[in-house]
Amino acid sequence: MTAIPHAPVVQGPRRLSGLLRRQSMLLILIAFYILVALTGRGFLTPDNQLNILRTVAVPGMIAFGMTLVVIVGEIDLSVGSMVAVSACITAWMVQLLSRGAMEPSVLAVLGAMLISLGFAALVGFFNGLMRQKIGVPTFISSLAMMATLAGVANLITGGSPIESFPSWYYIIGSGRFLHIPVPVFLLAAAFAFTFILTNYTALGREIYAVGGNIEAARLSGINVWRTKTICLVITSVFAAIGGIVYSSLINSGNSTIARGLELEVISACIIGGVSLFGGKGSIWGAFIGVLFLGVLLNAMTLWGFNPYAQQVVKGALILGAVFVNFAIDGRSPR
């Protein structure tokens, strides 16, 4: 019998190449971590590591929601203003529900939080409705919503912070449990929720299907607009939670907080490998992206960078990440 020649074995190198490509940002983060550990005094101390996680907690939560939105082919530019307005609504409602008491009750605070979260869910639903019924791109509708929410925050506060929270309210943003900052637990909960959602549920499969090919998803019986709206609602609610955390950190509702946060969140998604064209990305990648930004900011502070120089470095990094994103997708940025 004539021996059949074996095909060359290429699976190993291909798999290794694919793995390195998928985990390139993780490898860069590890290398950068080692660099900062060797050059930044106090970087590896437990307190500094926990401080990094606390710093990225709110942007990270919102980035997980934004990842869902970008995967389905949309964008939400209103998250920064949502953080600010939710902080102001919470403070305002605490003041109203407690009738100006010096020490508002727990029920008054919980009621104010629920109202703020409900308002955020309605805004997310409205953005989805505008996209579905009128066909307004979310880039436009969320840009308009960003300005509207900023105006609402200023109307509520009258330009001055509302200080109506009880003495224990600081725990949400500054408290610790088992020596770990409370916002880190919120970040972990948001990660677990979105990770399970995208990897182990039917809705998660629908999210990737809609982002990959909207017409094929529609023909498969997927309710495209419901899927997109759910993603927008989740992102708005995460932003509202971020507003509650920030209001706890400064112990007031302030309309000036979280300015430009939407850029940081979108940057984290892009750096983490979420495709600007939809259909590709992961919650793990978003976490790597937001952690990289947190480590970068911490490192530049330890190295004594000028604050203005930090903005230049961050902007250059975002631009580089966009080009990497295009290169991985194999598309021209034109």
Side-chain angles (χ1 to χ4, degrees):
M1 295 179 63
T2 303
I4 300 175
H6 292 284
V9 179
V10 294
Q11 289 297 321
R14 282 183 179 178
R15 287 180 179 178
L16 179 60
S17 176
L19 179 64
L20 291 176
R21 191 177 184 183
R22 290 192 302 271
Q23 301 299 333
S24 59
M25 197 60 222
L26 176 59
L27 297 175
I28 293 172
L29 175 61
I30 293 172
F32 187 62
Y33 227 93
I34 294 172
L35 172 65
V36 182
L38 293 174
T39 58
R41 175 179 289 184
F43 175 73
L44 285 179
T45 60
D47 282 344
N48 189 59
Q49 295 302 302
L50 289 174
N51 181 57
I52 292 173
L53 289 175
R54 183 186 61 80
T55 302
V56 304
V58 170
M61 283 189 292
I62 303 173
F64 299 152
M66 187 68 74
T67 297
L68 304 179
V69 172
V70 176
I71 288 175
V72 295
E74 303 296 339
I75 197 72
D76 188 349
L77 299 177
S78 66
V79 290
S81 294
M82 177 56 72
V83 171
V85 77
S86 65
C88 296
I89 288 175
T90 304
W92 181 45
M93 293 309 302
V94 167
Q95 190 177 65
L96 290 179
L97 294 176
S98 65
R99 297 180 181 179
M102 292 296 294
E103 190 71 12
S105 66
V106 173
L107 288 178
V109 175
L110 290 178
M113 288 180 180
L114 288 175
I115 291 171
S116 181
L117 295 176
F119 174 79
L122 286 175
V123 170
F125 178 78
F126 178 78
N127 284 334
L129 196 65
M130 289 283 287
R131 187 73 173 98
Q132 176 185 0
K133 298 296 185 182
I134 306 178
V136 178
T138 48
F139 177 85
I140 301 299
S141 62
S142 64
L143 188 64
M145 189 59 69
M146 176 175 67
T148 302
L149 294 177
V152 171
N154 283 316
L155 283 173
I156 290 173
T157 61
S160 301
I162 300 176
E163 300 177 353
S164 59
F165 297 117
S167 57
W168 55 265
Y169 190 69
Y170 77 94
I171 294 174
I172 299 173
S174 305
R176 290 179 177 246
F177 179 71
L178 299 176
H179 304 291
I180 299 174
V182 172
V184 176
F185 288 102
L186 297 175
L187 176 67
F191 176 86
F193 172 77
T194 49
F195 184 84
I196 292 172
L197 175 68
T198 53
N199 290 279
Y200 301 104
T201 68
L203 177 60
R205 291 189 290 273
E206 291 175 359
I207 288 171
Y208 282 99
V210 170
N213 190 321
I214 189 171
E215 287 303 321
R218 183 181 289 110
L219 292 174
S220 299
I222 295 174
N223 189 326
V224 171
W225 300 115
R226 185 199 65 179
T227 302
K228 291 192 174 192
T229 301
I230 289 174
C231 294
L232 289 165
V233 169
I234 290 173
T235 304
S236 288
V237 170
F238 279 173
I241 295 173
I244 292 171
V245 172
Y246 278 167
S247 69
S248 172
L249 282 169
I250 62 176
N251 200 37
S252 66
N254 194 318
S255 61
T256 62
I257 63 174
R259 286 182 177 175
L261 183 63
E262 58 279 345
L263 298 180
E264 183 176 348
V265 168
I266 295 172
S267 302
C269 294
I270 295 172
I271 292 171
V274 181
S275 174
L276 296 172
F277 302 102
K280 295 180 182 178
S282 69
I283 301 303
W284 171 249
F287 176 71
I288 295 298
V290 77
L291 186 59
F292 183 85
L293 287 178
V295 173
L296 176 66
L297 179 61
N298 187 263
M300 288 192 292
T301 302
L302 292 176
W303 291 336
F305 270 48
N306 184 294
Y308 301 113
Q310 292 183 20
Q311 294 297 320
V312 174
V313 172
K314 185 182 291 187
L317 179 67
I318 295 168
L319 183 62
V322 170
F323 278 102
V324 170
N325 194 300
F326 276 111
I328 291 175
D329 282 340
R331 307 191 190 195
S332 170
R334 290 180 299 173

